[in-house]
Amino acid sequence: MELHGIGASAGISIGKVLKIDSAKLEIKRIDNINPQDHLAQLASAIETSKLEISKIKDITFEKFGNEKAAIFDAHLLILEDPEIKSQVEAFINDNKVNASFALKSVMDNFITLFESMDDEYMKERALDIKDVFTRVLNHLEGIQIVDLSLLDEEVVLVADDLTPSQAAIMNKNAVIGFLTDKGGKTSHTAIMARSLEIPAVVGLDTITSQSENGSTVVFDGKNGDVYLNPNQELLSHYKNLKEKELKEKEELFKLVGVEAKTTDGFKVEVAGNIGSFQDLDSFFKNDAESVGLYRTEFLFLDRDSMPSEDEQFEEYKRIIQKLDGKKCVIRTLDIGGDKNLPYLKVEEEENPFLGYRAIRICLDRLDIFKTQLRALLRASVFGPTGIMFPMISSLEELNAAKEILNECKTELNNEGQNYSSEIKLGIMIEIPSAALMADLLAKHVDFFSMGTNDLTQYTCAVDRINQKISHLYNPFNPGLLRLIKMTADGANKAGIDISICGSMAHFPELIPFFIGCKINKLSMSPMHILKTKRNILNKNQADCEKMISNLLNLETAEETKNFLEKFIEDKK
């Protein structure tokens, strides 16, 4: 069976399907049972859960250290809590009901008790209780738990969608592909897949209903072609493509340590985008020169409360220290649009991409913004750091954000807390109004980063997740390229750094355009870095600059793409 979706992360994958079912657990009451049988079932389910949590704890310790692993020590203590255990056993004996119903009833009572407490720490224990005993309930109900951290054979994950927390815990040596019903090229699943260098196709609509666990699937994460249960001829074809892909990777890794300079000496910094500490494995493997974008929102997602200042500080500090002197540009919370935090209780909007999001939320919710800025400032003493504000549309917004940053500095000074005096301040240019006044904004910051995913969306008036109009989301749109050139001119005139960030940064056809605009930094998913470096090394900056005027006089996206392809071919 052939399906076609959106190619989200390049690469050929051949493997067995493992479906991730997100169905809700429904517990029914069964009366007049044999209490001894259900007490034995309860003991067995608890023991199995202990073994699983112990394994997860060991894996977490190896990946993230003792602090994160300590969470699972707490989970083991909850499983052994004598008060909970005695209440469940009494419920089974007194009411002669099934173990699942008894456990769910007692668990709900404890959760309600903890949630009603004023102390924030105690409230958070309710979440731990729910997490731990939901695992036990699954075992009691005979539901197979797909624990992504314990995978021991290669699989292609198939799901309606995948969350950042699932990506964080999965055994990345076992997961060789993602296929999802939902998502677009710039959705979080797509971004995660690229960060992890895992081939992925999203927006398939029916992959979860069409596929079966254990069945063979082959797919191309670049063009979005997916084949379930392929015939031998198709399977052989994809095996050959996979072999060619592996040979190309071997050649690219010879460029590790080579500076990305054009033939006439124009230096381009090739940076990596990350969303979490674990993304640094790919970052270092692919020879990234710096972190061009650290997406801090992943620290806020898939949880039930806001991370504290100390929690954020520890995470930022850990990443900056690991970089060991390489610069880290950290974007402040960019939430809203397709990324929501349930605990913020933001009202639904008819058009969230044009609504209450990113810097707009931060300027409105100073409790959130100042907590993050304080954490970032404190972490800056551990290495070169840049702070970047997203979705700036006016100088008024930029000045307001800078004022709050200065307030945080004053607070830390008064508290005797240290922060670096060398922090660089920048903004993302992702709204046309910011691009149009780039020369003015450049006077107030140290660097620009062009968020090309959103800039394309807003310039072309295309919802980047809407598959029906995805053909209009075109990086070769002449109007978009003119805005990029205008922004680059504004940055260069002011003498500040400018980078291209997002999927456009690694498009081989666009690299001559960026070099011609004197854009001195490209920031992308680490998996694209070495190929991009190769594409820079064979360019001549002077030649690229000369062709810009002709390029910007073209009238259609197709003409623009064809012109750039011909330019590259002629210069070989």
Side-chain angles (χ1 to χ4, degrees), residues 293-355:
L293 169 65
Y294 169 24
R295 302 180 182 91
T296 58
E297 54 268 19
F298 285 108
L299 185 58
F300 292 73
L301 294 167
D302 291 311
R303 52 186 297 149
D304 295 295
S305 60
M306 193 73 61
S308 67
E309 179 182 324
D310 283 343
E311 188 177 351
Q312 291 186 59
F313 163 71
E314 290 296 338
E315 188 64 11
Y316 305 147
K317 170 187 170 183
R318 187 164 70 123
I319 287 174
I320 293 169
Q321 284 183 318
K322 180 73 174 177
L323 288 171
D324 194 26
K326 292 188 174 186
K327 185 178 178 181
C328 186
V329 172
I330 305 175
R331 182 175 69 188
T332 57
L333 185 60
D334 185 10
I335 214 70
D338 61 331
K339 300 167 290 187
N340 290 311
L341 303 179
Y343 51 84
L344 274 187
K345 296 182 173 61
V346 174
E347 293 180 9
E348 280 194 28
E349 299 175 289
E350 287 189 18
N351 195 336
F353 287 99
L354 298 180

Side-chain angles (χ1 to χ4, degrees), residues 246-287:
L246 292 173
K247 285 181 180 177
E248 184 188 19
K249 281 186 177 180
E250 286 179 16
E251 288 299 310
L252 287 173
F253 275 105
K254 293 177 182 178
L255 295 177
V256 170
V258 176
E259 270 198 318
K261 280 185 178 180
T262 63
T263 57
D264 53 347
F266 181 73
K267 172 73 171 71
V268 181
E269 182 179 335
V270 188
N273 298 339
I274 66 169
S276 61
F277 183 83
Q278 54 264 37
D279 291 345
L280 290 177
D281 289 343
S282 176
F283 173 92
F284 284 112
K285 184 179 79 173
N286 288 286
D287 199 33

Side-chain angles (χ1 to χ4, degrees), residues 439 442-443 486-496:
D439 58 329
K443 300 173 185 177
M486 185 180 297
T487 306
D489 288 345
N492 288 324
K493 183 179 177 182
I496 68 170

Side-chain angles (χ1 to χ4, degrees), residues 64-76:
F64 308 114
N66 191 59
E67 184 182 347
K68 298 290 183 184
I71 295 168
F72 299 103
D73 280 326
H75 284 195
L76 289 169

Side-chain angles (χ1 to χ4, degrees), residues 19-197:
K19 294 168 73 170
I20 308 297
D21 190 359
S22 57
K24 287 189 176 181
L25 201 60
E26 293 184 7
I27 305 298
K28 295 180 180 178
R29 176 175 178 142
I30 303 173
D31 292 301
N32 300 316
I33 53 86
N34 182 336
Q36 292 308 311
D37 289 345
H38 282 259
L39 288 171
Q41 290 174 21
L42 176 66
S44 175
I46 289 175
E47 195 58 38
T48 301
S49 298
K50 282 182 185 177
L51 291 172
E52 289 175 348
I53 292 173
S54 294
K55 287 180 182 178
I56 294 170
K57 176 195 165 188
D58 291 342
I59 291 168
T60 305
F61 176 78
E62 288 177 16
K63 286 183 178 180
F64 308 114
N66 191 59
E67 184 182 347
K68 298 290 183 184
I71 295 168
F72 299 103
D73 280 326
H75 284 195
L76 289 169
L77 288 173
I78 290 170
L79 272 178
E80 296 166 355
D81 189 294
E83 182 64 24
I84 296 176
K85 185 180 178 184
S86 64
Q87 285 197 30
V88 177
E89 290 173 348
F91 202 107
I92 293 171
N93 283 318
D94 295 346
N95 298 284
K96 293 184 172 53
V97 294
N98 53 313
S100 297
F101 184 79
L103 177 59
K104 179 72 164 54
S105 301
V106 172
M107 181 182 84
D108 287 348
N109 287 337
F110 272 94
I111 289 172
T112 301
L113 174 66
F114 279 92
E115 285 180 338
S116 66
M117 295 181 180
D118 293 331
D119 187 275
E120 284 299 319
Y121 176 82
M122 299 308 291
K123 283 183 178 180
E124 289 176 8
R125 300 293 67 75
L127 301 175
D128 291 330
I129 292 169
K130 184 176 181 180
D131 187 19
V132 169
F133 285 111
T134 297
R135 177 180 294 273
V136 179
L137 283 171
N138 274 296
H139 287 304
L140 285 170
E141 290 294 297
I143 295 172
Q144 182 183 2
I145 299 173
V146 180
D147 196 326
L148 301 181
S149 69
L150 303 179
L151 294 174
D152 56 5
E153 60 179 352
E154 290 189 344
V155 294
V156 173
L157 294 185
V158 173
D160 182 56
D161 204 359
L162 290 166
T163 67
S165 60
Q166 287 173 318
I169 198 173
M170 73 174 60
N171 178 359
K172 297 172 185 64
N173 295 320
V175 178
I176 59 172
F178 292 164
L179 297 172
T180 62
D181 289 332
K182 294 179 180 176
K185 193 178 286 288
T186 54
S187 65
H188 277 287
T189 300
I191 291 169
M192 284 189 297
R194 290 192 291 270
S195 295
L196 299 169
E197 297 188 50

Side-chain angles (χ1 to χ4, degrees), residues 325-396:
K326 292 188 174 186
K327 185 178 178 181
C328 186
V329 172
I330 305 175
R331 182 175 69 188
T332 57
L333 185 60
D334 185 10
I335 214 70
D338 61 331
K339 300 167 290 187
N340 290 311
L341 303 179
Y343 51 84
L344 274 187
K345 296 182 173 61
V346 174
E347 293 180 9
E348 280 194 28
E349 299 175 289
E350 287 189 18
N351 195 336
F353 287 99
L354 298 180
Y356 187 63
R357 58 173 298 202
I359 197 67
R360 299 169 182 181
I361 291 178
C362 289
L363 291 176
D364 182 51
R365 289 289 305 272
L366 296 189
D367 55 326
I368 297 171
F369 197 28
K370 291 184 74 171
T371 297
Q372 181 174 39
L373 291 177
R374 284 172 56 94
L376 288 171
L377 287 167
R378 289 168 57 196
S380 68
V381 299
F382 296 95
T385 305
I387 294 177
M388 179 164 63
F389 301 133
M391 207 181 171
I392 294 293
S393 64
S394 67
L395 183 57
E396 289 88 343

